[in-house]
């Protein structure tokens, strides 16, 4: 009879131990999955925050480019109008006009600045030309 009780207690202890082991194993596995899921969610949140920052940066760059283009268009229109006004003002004087070497050098320099502005990007396009020195009679 005592042997039965001993066997029953041992069997009960063995079953309880096995059940506890498998419950703990399952609980540990669930904890690891939860930790991994939390890490994944954190990484996705960081990626989304970084993406939002990139979107803000690209929007700021786009606005800057739009502003530069508007400034360039305004500068181009102003320059064109100034040239037209200057040409209209002395149109009659240019009938037999021959340009001096200094004027031709200034025209070549202006052409080079225009090429540099056209190929150098918007930042270079907005630079002002150096002032023209006082004209001296030849």
């Amino acid at each position: 009879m005592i042997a039965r009780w001993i066997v029953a207690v041992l069997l009960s202890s063995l079953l309880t131990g096995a059940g506890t082991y498998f419950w703990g194993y399952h609980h540990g596995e669930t904890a690891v999955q939860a930790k991994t899921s939390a890490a994944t969610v954190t990484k996705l949140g960081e990626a989304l925050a970084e993406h939002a920052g990139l979107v803000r940066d690209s929007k700021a760059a786009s606005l800057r480019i739009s502003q530069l283009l508007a400034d360039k268009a305004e500068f181009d229109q102003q320059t064109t109008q100034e040239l037209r006004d200057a040409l209209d003002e002395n149109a009659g004087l240019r009938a037999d006009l021959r340009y001096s070497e200094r004027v031709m050098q200034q025209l070549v320099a202006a052409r080079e600045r225009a090429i540099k502005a056209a190929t150098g990007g918007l930042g270079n396009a907005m630079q002002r030309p150096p002032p023209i020195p006082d004209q001296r009679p030849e």
Side-chain angles (χ1 to χ4, degrees):
M1 174 98 166
I2 293 183
R4 283 187 190 173
W5 280 100
I6 293 175
V7 170
V9 169
L10 286 176
L11 187 59
S12 174
S13 296
L14 182 64
L15 289 176
T16 302
T20 304
Y21 171 79
F22 287 114
W23 178 82
Y25 181 81
H26 175 69
H27 183 70
E29 185 178 20
T30 304
V32 169
Q33 286 176 349
K35 191 174 184 180
T36 304
S37 295
T40 302
V41 167
T42 301
K43 286 180 182 178
L44 286 173
E46 291 170 358
L48 287 174
E50 184 179 345
H51 178 71
L54 292 173
V55 168
R56 277 192 307 275
D57 292 347
S58 67
K59 183 178 180 181
S62 177
L63 290 174
R64 176 73 176 136
I65 289 171
S66 295
Q67 184 61 47
L68 285 172
L69 288 172
D71 291 348
K72 182 184 179 310
E74 182 180 338
F75 180 71
D76 288 349
Q77 186 175 359
Q78 179 184 357
T79 303
T80 302
Q81 188 60 46
E82 288 174 3
L83 287 173
R84 284 183 182 151
D85 292 345
L87 290 173
D88 288 345
E89 191 175 297
N90 58 15
L93 300 174
R94 290 190 315 270
D96 281 333
L97 182 65
R98 293 182 186 257
Y99 294 105
S100 68
E101 183 179 337
R102 187 177 61 75
V103 171
M104 293 306 291
Q105 288 172 351
Q106 289 176 352
L107 289 173
V108 168
R111 183 189 67 185
E112 289 174 2
R113 282 193 310 274
I115 290 170
K116 190 179 198 182
T119 60
L122 293 177
N124 290 334
M126 299 308 294
Q127 293 177 353
R128 301 283 180 188
I132 297 174
D134 293 334
Q135 294 185 0
R136 291 173 274 164
E138 295 184 13

